[in-house]
Amino acid sequence: MPYSFTKIEEDKTKTIGFVFSFLIFVYFAVFWLIAVLSVTFFNIQATSGSYSFHLVFLPFSQTLLILAFAFIIGYVHWSFTTANLITKILGVLKAEKLNPKDRYHQMFSNIVDEVSVATGGRKMEGVVIPTMALNAFALADFSGQAVIGLTEGMLARLTRAQIEAVVGHEAAHIVSGDCLSTTITSSLFELFSGALRGFEILFQGGGRRGVRVHGRGSGAVIGFLLLIYCLLFVTKLLSQIVRLFISRQREYRADAIAVRLTRDPLSLAEALYAISYRWRGGGLPAQELASIFTVNPTYSSIDEEDGLFSEMFSTHPPIGGRLDVLLDMAHSDVELVVKDIERQAQKPRTAVPEVGTSSAKWVVHKDGAWQGPFDMTQMMTLGWIRPDTWVQRLGGKKVQLAYQEEDIRHIVTKSEHGKQSGGYQCPKCNLPLTEVNYEGTEVHKCSSCRGTLVEQSDIQRIIIRQEVGFSEKIKKIARGIQREARLAKFTAINRDPKTLLKCPKCQHSRTRMMRMFYTEAYRVEVDKCFACGLVWFDTDELEVLQYLIEHSLDKSHS
Amino acid sequence: MIALLVILIALAACAGWGVSVYNGLVKLRENAKNGWSQIDVQLKRRHDLIPNLVETAKGYMEHESSTLENVIKARQQAIDASKIKDKQVAENFLSSTLRSLFAVSENYPNLKADQQMRQLHEELTSTENKITFARQYYNDEVTRLNTAVQSFPDNFIANMCSFEKRDFFELGDESEKETPKVQF
């Protein structure tokens, strides 16, 4: 009997019931303790003078009452945690929806669809975390919504087959139901952790401003606050104990299912290896969320150990163990994987794509006569050229309609749709910008001054991805900037209001784009619109920035 | 009296068992049907993508018209096929013609760099994967159904309510059966 996905779904893990019972039990224990202690306390006060201290236990009916109360509070807590769970966690992780125009995102969303087909149509959605780290996670809630998330670094560094294996692994978590329990478990005590942090701030502030409580009851109040603090601290410990419910076996199981799905254990092993030896995103999410990731974002030695203790308290199994199992299936070994990954890292870069060929010229047919020749910039300024105007490339044989000619198609289609289609104009030359696919995402380039207009969110993506290589010219400029930074020789930015650029998007407003360095560490001059987030890079500046960041990262790795 | 009660209870138990087995079989049958329709959707998607692909490739590879014609022919055959068995043969043939098209396209760097071609390639790769996954799902479910229909004692109920075995969606091409990317 094959272990099919429907079968896996039927065998869903039932941890969630235990977690709920545990929560109720915790509340019951806490309330019971409070009740017993306070009754005892009042008892002492009533019989003050005779310091006879003995616990007063509650009668059965009151215990039952406390149980009912604990159930209600526990239930409220439970529903508060599970409502909008996914949206909340995605907010914490700063995850973004996929951009259908982005080539990498397209591929990712395709892969998610593929895997969804493999599970017999379980609905899943892909999201990305815009970070250079390598990791993946899955979330699910009671409503049946399921999300698979990858970091941008993952999309940029791994091959399609490897991403497929990772997504298969995450899908396995979702279908087998352990994703639901980890999602809920990991966020169950988040509420209290927040309260605890608040308390700590309050106590720290106590020294200066102080929780000044005077009068006779002050001791009692402070004692009460301390008691609450202790209870919150206990819940923090409980959130550790809850991890007992998250078995590290689930990772092995998900690996096995992923391999069954893609029939490609080697790719999964390679992906795991790549994740484990690069930055996995430590410090990125709250610690409570670590268990939703495929590899623990923060390195902890406990994960790499065997034995009962780590078996109980670690949420992730040792990578070595997972690799061993996978490589055994693939009849391969770690050395081959390492070689493969290294080869992948050195994959040849393509050249930076050029907009228009500056040398090309065209003659254009107008009013029964041929005019021109015009070069690209001149073509753009011809207001009357239409998609059905006859054109001929200088030196070419064919006479074609303007829209058939690859290189000038954008000119006529742009002027057709005007500004509605997001057709921006170059802030320097006032010529229409061309949409160019750069590093898998869409940027707007001016074919005259070669400046680039980029959406704020895309800059990070472009920096993370490593498709294009850089010319010697770019490297030279970058090295120059680095040298200046080392010598602390800072060129001042020219902020003459006359030279400041208008934002191509918010053109009508009177504000100008701000001229600034990208960051203090990477001193590349950019023009940024603070209203819409568009950023304008002059010629080569984007590439220089990319090279600078990539170079400094390589250095810090080695 | 007691004997009657025992018989009644036994009958009720039998009926209960029968109902649960019947429901189980219905579920399996529906899963398999669902699996089949998934395959169908993906195959149709592939048929829809091919004209675009050929149109895009045409502009770049004028000397490879026979490869392109083969793809078109194979697509038509696949669309015309109605029986499961015929369909398998036609679809496998279509897969192989597509593979040779992509192999040939390696020689045309301009074609490979074409934005639209890149996108179509990605879409087709994805659709091929979906077909594979849908087939895996379908075959898994069919195995479960077939096992249930034949195994004792469920086969009584299956025979009574005319549950039938289903055909697998198999690979015709021997070369495709190799597990990809395994190194020895």
Side-chain angles (χ1 to χ4, degrees):
Chain A
M1 173 87 69
Y3 198 49
S4 75
F5 274 96
T6 16
K7 188 87 181 70
I8 294 167
E9 202 158 7
E10 282 161 18
D11 293 348
K12 260 186 190 170
T13 39
K14 306 275 190 309
T15 324
I16 207 72
F18 289 113
V19 175
F20 183 68
S21 321
F22 178 73
L23 184 70
I24 302 293
F25 173 76
V26 166
Y27 270 111
F28 173 69
V30 167
F31 291 146
W32 187 80
L33 217 64
I34 291 176
V36 168
L37 285 180
S38 48
V39 168
T40 310
F41 181 70
F42 284 117
N43 230 21
I44 293 171
Q45 289 221 324
T47 59
S48 55
S50 65
Y51 290 96
S52 63
F53 183 84
H54 59 92
L55 288 172
V56 183
F57 289 99
L58 302 168
F60 180 70
S61 62
Q62 284 179 19
T63 313
L64 214 61
L65 206 68
I66 290 173
L67 183 64
F69 189 61
F71 191 84
I72 292 168
I73 296 290
Y75 187 77
V76 169
H77 181 175
W78 182 262
S79 11
F80 188 79
T81 310
T82 51
N84 287 328
L85 186 56
I86 290 185
T87 328
K88 268 188 268 177
I89 297 183
L90 288 184
V92 171
L93 294 173
K94 298 195 182 62
E96 288 172 5
K97 284 207 181 309
L98 298 183
N99 175 4
K101 272 186 175 174
D102 188 300
R103 179 151 36 84
Y104 287 79
H105 290 190
Q106 237 170 35
M107 179 186 73
F108 178 33
S109 117
N110 275 343
I111 291 175
V112 172
D113 285 350
E114 285 160 29
V115 171
S116 154
V117 166
T119 60
R122 178 82 157 82
K123 286 241 161 18
M124 297 172 206
E125 197 194 340
V127 296
V128 287
I129 310 182
T131 155
M132 216 169 262
L134 264 66
N135 223 325
F137 67 90
L139 297 172
D141 69 4
F142 279 118
S143 67
Q145 196 195 352
V147 167
I148 295 180
L150 290 186
T151 57
E152 287 281 358
M154 200 87 159
L155 287 176
R157 300 292 175 94
L158 300 191
T159 63
R160 195 180 204 283
Q162 289 163 356
I163 295 176
E164 220 165 79
V166 171
V167 173
H169 172 102
E170 299 304 334
H173 279 316
I174 291 173
V175 175
S176 67
D178 52 34
C179 182
L180 179 67
S181 47
T182 39
T183 307
I184 290 175
T185 318
S186 58
S187 47
L188 201 55
F189 290 105
E190 179 79 329
L191 194 71
F192 287 132
S193 311
L196 187 66
R197 277 193 289 276
F199 250 86
E200 271 162 3
I201 291 166
L202 193 74
F203 275 113
Q204 276 163 10
R208 278 176 278 120
R209 272 172 284 126
V211 199
R212 292 221 178 91
V213 199
H214 296 289
R216 268 180 54 205
S218 66
V221 171
I222 288 177
F224 184 68
L225 283 177
L226 265 175
L227 183 72
I228 292 183
Y229 180 78
C230 289
L231 286 178
L232 285 174
F233 195 75
V234 168
T235 54
K236 197 182 176 184
L237 291 182
L238 286 177
S239 72
Q240 307 283 324
I241 291 174
V242 154
R243 292 191 179 179
L244 285 173
F245 294 113
I246 304 175
S247 149
R248 39 152 66 168
Q249 295 305 320
R250 82 210 140 91
E251 295 292 339
Y252 285 116
R253 207 164 47 223
D255 282 347
I257 298 172
V259 169
R260 215 195 92 69
L261 177 74
T262 57
R263 316 267 148 110
D264 191 0
L266 194 60
S267 287
L268 186 58
E270 283 171 353
L272 276 181
Y273 180 79
I275 295 173
S276 67
Y277 98 107
R278 279 177 193 280
W279 182 46
R280 314 157 179 183
L284 193 68
Q287 210 208 337
E288 284 81 1
L289 290 175
S291 51
I292 63 171
F293 284 89
T294 183
V295 172
N296 200 342
T298 345
Y299 177 85
S300 72
S301 56
I302 189 180
D303 283 338
E304 306 303 324
E305 282 162 21
D306 284 318
L308 185 66
F309 181 74
S310 21
E311 195 70 38
M312 279 164 72
F313 284 99
S314 159
T315 49
H316 291 77
I319 300 270
R322 286 168 77 182
L323 280 178
D324 282 346
V325 176
L326 289 169
L327 291 175
D328 201 39
M329 281 193 243
H331 300 283
S332 183
D333 60 71
V334 179
E335 276 165 37
L336 281 172
V337 169
V338 174
K339 263 189 213 149
D340 251 23
I341 294 277
E342 274 168 10
R343 202 171 44 232
Q344 217 173 290
Q346 275 148 19
K347 119 185 122 178
R349 306 283 191 88
T350 52
V352 177
E354 285 293 310
V355 220
T357 34
S358 50
S359 57
K361 287 189 174 175
W362 289 269
V363 286
V364 186
H365 191 82
K366 193 200 177 200
D367 303 332
W370 287 99
Q371 301 196 359
F374 302 113
D375 65 16
M376 178 64 87
T377 322
Q378 288 167 325
M379 290 288 275
M380 285 194 166
T381 48
L382 296 177
W384 42 264
I385 187 165
R386 299 185 50 79
D388 55 351
T389 313
W390 291 102
V391 295
Q392 186 179 16
R393 201 195 198 108
L394 217 62
K397 286 172 212 142
K398 268 194 264 178
V399 175
Q400 294 195 91
L401 294 174
Y403 80 91
Q404 288 171 322
E405 182 76 34
E406 190 75 18
D407 292 332
I408 55 175
R409 184 184 294 150
H410 62 267
I411 302 176
V412 289
T413 42
K414 267 288 140 54
S415 57
E416 271 285 283
H417 301 299
K419 278 182 196 142
Q420 295 99 310
S421 63
Y424 299 130
Q425 281 191 336
C426 174
K428 288 202 156 161
C429 329
N430 284 330
L431 293 173
L433 294 174
T434 319
E435 281 178 13
V436 179
N437 203 301
Y438 184 66
E439 298 268 18
T441 189
E442 206 159 68
V443 298
H444 308 269
K445 257 196 156 160
C446 175
S447 49
S448 176
C449 70
R450 314 212 160 242
T452 317
L453 187 71
V454 193
E455 302 267 356
Q456 172 70 34
S457 58
D458 285 335
I459 297 179
Q460 233 165 346
R461 291 190 185 124
I462 289 172
I463 289 170
I464 293 168
R465 294 170 187 173
Q466 308 189 329
E467 257 179 42
V468 296
F470 305 105
S471 61
E472 277 308 312
K473 182 181 148 208
I474 303 278
K475 289 178 189 170
K476 214 172 144 193
I477 300 175
R479 277 196 289 268
I481 292 177
Q482 270 172 333
R483 206 174 311 123
E484 276 177 17
R486 248 201 322 275
L487 299 173
K489 207 170 74 185
F490 300 128
T491 37
I493 297 179
N494 176 15
R495 288 216 182 86
D496 182 4
K498 275 177 214 151
T499 64
L500 288 182
L501 303 175
K502 244 188 214 172
C503 171
K505 196 176 190 178
C506 333
Q507 262 192 345
H508 299 294
S509 60
R510 294 174 60 201
T511 53
R512 296 293 165 119
M513 291 172 104
M514 182 67 187
R515 191 159 297 159
M516 52 190 270
F517 287 126
Y518 180 71
T519 59
E520 281 303 308
Y522 304 109
R523 306 179 77 86
V524 174
E525 213 179 281
V526 299
D527 294 279
K528 183 173 178 180
C529 173
F530 281 100
C532 63
L534 277 173
V535 179
W536 172 261
F537 292 88
D538 282 338
T539 334
D540 298 333
E541 279 178 354
L542 180 59
E543 288 88 351
V544 169
L545 176 66
Q546 270 183 286
Y547 181 77
L548 272 179
I549 295 182
E550 218 173 88
H551 205 66
S552 68
L553 281 181
D554 281 351
K555 249 194 232 156
S556 64
H557 269 300
S558 55
Chain B
M1 186 60 198
I2 288 174
L4 196 71
L5 210 66
V6 167
I7 289 171
L8 267 178
I9 289 174
L11 274 179
C14 268
W17 170 78
V19 167
S20 76
V21 167
Y22 178 82
N23 286 344
L25 285 171
V26 168
K27 200 174 162 209
L28 287 177
R29 189 172 61 186
E30 288 312 306
N31 276 347
K33 256 192 206 163
N34 165 33
W36 178 250
S37 64
Q38 291 242 27
I39 297 181
D40 236 26
V41 168
Q42 299 311 330
L43 289 177
K44 176 134 196 337
R45 168 95 182 117
R46 179 159 76 164
H47 297 160
D48 292 345
L49 284 172
I50 285 171
N52 267 333
L53 176 79
V54 171
E55 206 48 49
T56 311
K58 230 186 219 165
Y60 293 93
M61 34 206 289
E62 284 158 5
H63 308 296
E64 309 280 353
S65 54
S66 67
T67 320
L68 293 174
E69 272 165 28
N70 273 344
V71 174
I72 301 220
K73 250 187 248 163
R75 170 181 178 262
Q76 198 50 48
Q77 269 176 23
I79 291 177
D80 293 340
S82 55
K83 276 189 234 152
I84 291 195
K85 282 266 182 289
D86 295 345
K87 230 177 192 163
Q88 276 171 32
V89 176
E91 291 295 345
N92 287 327
F93 182 57
L94 180 58
S95 294
S96 68
T97 56
L98 275 176
R99 260 203 303 281
S100 61
L101 174 64
F102 283 122
V104 170
S105 74
E106 290 290 314
N107 303 330
Y108 296 82
N110 285 341
L111 177 61
K112 262 174 69 187
D114 187 291
Q115 260 325 310
Q116 205 179 355
M117 187 64 184
R118 260 180 135 161
Q119 208 161 354
L120 278 168
H121 194 192
E122 164 62 29
E123 283 301 311
L124 266 168
T125 314
S126 174
T127 313
E128 293 279 341
N129 279 342
K130 281 179 195 158
I131 293 172
T132 316
F133 289 153
R135 192 176 58 202
Q136 275 175 22
Y137 177 81
Y138 172 75
N139 286 346
D140 285 349
E141 291 310 305
V142 167
T143 313
R144 290 182 76 198
L145 175 70
N146 289 357
T147 315
V149 165
Q150 291 172 91
S151 49
F152 180 81
D154 296 13
N155 55 351
F156 289 119
I157 306 284
N159 279 335
M160 230 155 48
C161 309
S162 63
F163 279 93
E164 279 169 0
K165 286 207 289 176
R166 282 183 80 110
D167 286 334
F168 290 108
F169 195 88
E170 277 166 305
L171 295 169
D173 201 345
E174 279 300 315
S175 66
E176 250 188 88
K177 279 190 184 166
E178 287 166 19
T179 1
K181 277 213 184 173
V182 175
Q183 289 177 5
F184 291 96

